[in-house]
Amino acid sequence: QVQLVQSGAEVKKPGASVKVSCKVSGYTLTELSMHWVRQAPGKGLEWMGGFDPEDGETIYAQKFQGRVTMTEDTSTDTAYMELSSLRSEDTAVYYCATEEYSGYYLYWGQGTLVTVSS
Amino acid sequence: EIVLTQSPGTLSLSPGERATLSCRASQSVSSSYLAWYQQKPGQAPRLLIYGASSRATGIPDRFSGSGSGTDFTLTISRLEPEDFAVYYCQQYGSSPLRTFGQGTKVEIK
C-alpha cells in the first residue's frame, strides 16, 4: 500500500516561488510515476505534469511550462513540485498522485493548500 | 488537446435513485485510458473506475462504467447517502497530455 504525505499549507506573495513536497512510503519512489494535480477553490482538477515512464522524462502541461519544476530525491523517497512567479490564480490545493500504467491516478496525497496573496 | 465535457453539471437525485453521468471527449479516447473519480469536500479524489469499465479495488458494484470512442458513462445503480459528491472523468490520451472533465456534482434532492 502506497502512502503519500505532503508538506503543510503555504502562504506566498505574488512573484514568489513555492516548493511542495510529497513523501512516499510503502514503495520506493523509483517504482512509481509521480504526478501533480491542482484544484483552485471551488473548481475542478487540473493536471500539471509528472514523470512519463514511456519517455523516461518529466513532462509538463503546456500551461505551466517554464514556471514549474518537478524533481525527486530517491534517497528520501520524496517528490517535489516547485512553482515560480506565483500569481493569485495559483491559489489552489496541490496534490501529488501516482500514475498507473494505463494513465489513471490510484494513490493521492492529502493535498497542500497554497495561498497567493499580497 | 483532448477536451472532456461532463454533463450534467449538477444532478439532483434522492437516495435509492439511479444516477447516470456523461463524459464526452472532443476526440476519440482509447477505452483503456478513461478513468472516473469521486471527490468529497475536503478530500483528495478517489479512483472509482479505470479502463472505462473496471472497478478499482474496494469500489462497490453499484458503480459501473461504460462507453467507447468519445462517449463514456458512469452509472450509480442505487444512490447511497455516501455517494453524494463530485465526479470527474479523466483521460490519458496522446502523450504527453492528461486531462480531466470539469466535474458533475451529484446532490441530494
Side-chain angles (χ1 to χ4, degrees), chain B residues 11-49:
Chain B
L11 201 49
S12 298
L13 295 168
S14 300
E17 289 194 294
R18 182 185 188 89
T20 303
L21 287 67
S22 173
C23 176
R24 179 161 291 177
S26 59
Q27 304 171 42
S28 184
V29 173
S30 167
S31 296
S32 299
Y33 302 140
L34 194 288
W36 290 91
Y37 302 84
Q38 176 194 67
Q39 188 179 34
K40 296 179 180 178
Q43 296 184 17
R46 177 175 72 145
L47 178 70
L48 298 175
I49 301 287

Side-chain angles (χ1 to χ4, degrees), chain A residues 34-106:
Chain A
M34 191 66 73
H35 284 237
W36 293 85
V37 175
R38 79 175 186 179
Q39 186 171 39
K43 302 296 184 183
L45 302 169
E46 182 174 32
W47 175 74
M48 297 181 69
F51 182 74
D52 187 341
E54 286 188 17
D55 299 327
E57 296 181 350
T58 300
I59 53 176
Y60 303 118
Q62 189 169 8
K63 175 177 180 177
F64 301 102
Q65 291 269 6
R67 269 209 312 144
V68 70
T69 305
M70 296 172 186
T71 56
E72 297 180 351
D73 182 345
T74 55
S75 68
T76 61
D77 289 320
T78 303
Y80 298 92
M81 187 283 301
E82 184 170 20
L83 188 62
S84 62
S85 303
L86 290 168
R87 32 208 189 231
S88 58
E89 309 90 86
D90 294 318
T91 294
V93 175
Y94 289 78
Y95 294 100
C96 57
T98 60
E99 183 178 89
E100 302 299 305
Y101 180 74
S102 292
Y104 56 87
Y105 299 104
L106 180 56

Side-chain angles (χ1 to χ4, degrees), chain B residues 10-92:
Chain B
T10 302
L11 201 49
S12 298
L13 295 168
S14 300
E17 289 194 294
R18 182 185 188 89
T20 303
L21 287 67
S22 173
C23 176
R24 179 161 291 177
S26 59
Q27 304 171 42
S28 184
V29 173
S30 167
S31 296
S32 299
Y33 302 140
L34 194 288
W36 290 91
Y37 302 84
Q38 176 194 67
Q39 188 179 34
K40 296 179 180 178
Q43 296 184 17
R46 177 175 72 145
L47 178 70
L48 298 175
I49 301 287
Y50 63 94
S53 60
S54 298
R55 271 188 302 277
T57 301
I59 301 303
D61 60 7
R62 63 180 181 273
F63 291 91
S64 63
S66 63
S68 63
T70 60
D71 289 296
F72 297 87
T73 300
L74 174 70
T75 302
I76 310 171
S77 59
R78 287 179 55 86
L79 283 164
E80 297 288 339
E82 62 267 28
D83 298 338
F84 292 92
V86 180
Y87 293 84
Y88 295 94
C89 58
Q90 176 245 331
Q91 69 85 29
Y92 165 34

